[in-house]
Amino acid sequence: MNDRPNGHGNGHANGHLVAEDREHSTFRVKREVFVSPDVLDAERQAIFDKCWIYVGHASEIKNPGDFHTRQVAGRPIIFCRDRQGNARALINSCRHRGAIVCRERQGTTRQFYCIYHGWTYNTDGSLKAIPGDDAYGPGFDKKTLGLVEVPRLEQYRDFYFLNFDHNAPDLATYLAGAKDYIDLVVDQSPSGRMEIISGIQEYDIKANWKLLVENSVDDYHLVTTHSTWLNYMRNSGVNVAPAKGHMLPTKGLGKDLGNGHLTTDNPNYRGRPVAKWISVYGEEAKADIDAIRKELVERLGEARAARVADTNRNLCIFPNLVINDGSSVTVRHFYPTAPGEMRVVAWALGPVEETEAQRARRLHAFLTFYGPGSFATPDDVAALELAQKGFAAWRDVPWSDLSRGMGKNEEQLATDEGHLRVFWRKWSQLVETRP
Amino acid sequence: MNKPVDIPLPNPPPLAGEGREEVTRAEVEDFLYYEADLLDNWKLDDWLALCTEDVGYYVPPNEKLDADHRYTLFIVADDAVRLRERIIRLKDPNCHAEYPPSRTRRLITNVRIIGAEGDTVTVAANFAIYRHRRNEPPRQFVGRYRYTLRRTDSGFRIVERRACLDAEELGPMGAVSFLL
């Protein structure tokens, strides 16, 4: 990707909060955007009420009656499969007086039941029964009093997104170039079916949610923030020496996928369960990884297999879904709970065909780098929380700098900030140019 | 470095030799209190010396405490190799989440021996761990341990250590960057 301000339909970013100066090759973001309740309100309206927001994966609602309750776009949502087999996103609030009607985290049910006055709803949201319904007048229409359904729910290759904007473009259009990178994830399964693995990592970071967007794709911080992880890799016999002229072992790129979506795209050095062996896996895993690789080549051909198995990609789907496809596959969404605080929810994703040993290897690799008990994520959390503390002086030090890599004509590296600017341009377009 | 104040530690509790007497709860309690002291004082190499060569250290996900780490995504699932690496990391000033090291205080209670076979005992205990860092509100980690301990001539050794958190999600605990 070259660093073009108007690429893929993104607007200029010369507003008040995001300032791009092409002449001097600088790109700055006002720190106010990380601390201001007004900015968060604006984001809720301009972003979370308008964009496609990740809600869940098809593998989580395999059977009729399966449900998960989640916080999505600031609302309590029931993500479920109704008894007719349709995926649904219902607002988890009783039509009578508002109480949450489904309190469990997940499960399988025939109905949703409000404990307050006993109103019950079918899994498609329709109102099933009201205790003492003879007390209502003749115009009272139960058919209109089902759980409110989120206006739009669409999926791309089993990843379900919802949208509160009736007039939003369809999901496939919205995802733009991000679709190719989801395809690279799904291609790892022989049948094209990936599944969310049980076990949820759900934790808070005392930092603005946008800092995790930046952090998830920012390879510039890897060497300083994650030196203890690099030590672990080195101790385990993995070559993590920087490539000539680069900060990291391979020359990785930052890419603009359109519509505010972005990714890193790095030749692999840190191993992949599908399918690149490193010493951490142990000698005994070599033959198995070879077999996975062979299946990949037979099914996809040499070139596509290499594309899938020899590159690592941290994909950010605007605004708040990150799929890290590297030493394991993570699905991670996060949302603001206050200007200076976010909730992160993360899952592991794997091919449904995986054997016991393959699944165990995938999960082991996940936990080394990713998640709140890993060798890396806690240090990211520390860095983000330090930044948030620094923003207390936002009036005195008003700007953050994201100019790295600007002004050069060749492609943007993953250690540049060109792909971070993709996010901020889209953010600015939505938040700063609202009517 | 802003390390917690060093306090004198008791010697490892003496142990009856293998096959001589039944393990008592008092012996197990002494061992767990000694272990807690080591961890609270960041004597991590001494702590690691209490672990067997095939040790496992687990923090299961909050919503699935009885899960198997081979099929389920955990918070922590360390084999002996990674646990040794974790100790290397925790001692490194570049372990940013734990530098300066957090002050922790572990309260270990409700200790019970729930199984014994040969030289192995299974132990349950409750814990409340308070973690303090400068300019941060204290964080509390409350839950239950499940240990598998092996009796040796030089005292108990940890074969498996599982820390199950009571909270429904990590939430405000944030990261689990120190040893629970």
Side-chain angles (χ1 to χ4, degrees), chain A residues 300-348:
Chain A
L300 303 173
E302 281 288 352
R304 179 72 179 173
R307 183 76 181 100
V308 169
D310 294 337
T311 57
N312 289 349
R313 303 154 308 262
N314 288 10
L315 169 66
C316 176
I317 294 174
F318 191 92
N320 67 334
L321 173 68
V322 169
I323 301 175
N324 293 312
D325 184 356
S327 39
S328 206
V329 182
T330 77
V331 176
R332 169 165 91 191
H333 77 156
F334 42 94
Y335 52 87
T337 51
E341 193 166 315
M342 76 181 104
R343 167 63 55 93
V344 185
V345 189
W347 298 267

Side-chain angles (χ1 to χ4, degrees), chain A residues 198-219:
Chain A
S198 75
I200 308 172
Q201 299 179 334
E202 193 171 1
Y203 55 101
D204 298 343
I205 302 178
K206 290 186 168 143
N208 184 271
W209 67 278
K210 298 183 290 296
L211 293 183
L212 189 53
V213 172
E214 296 182 345
N215 173 260
S216 298
V217 294
D218 165 15
D219 276 3

Side-chain angles (χ1 to χ4, degrees), chain B residues 12-45:
Chain B
L15 244 196
E18 189 188 338
R20 268 189 280 168
E21 284 170 44
E22 291 242 320
V23 173
T24 67
R25 190 178 70 205
E27 288 172 325
V28 171
E29 283 174 337
D30 277 349
F31 177 77
L32 296 185
Y33 299 161
Y34 172 64
E35 187 206 11
D37 253 345
L38 291 180
L39 291 173
D40 284 343
N41 287 283
W42 286 82
K43 294 190 175 302
L44 299 178
D45 289 323

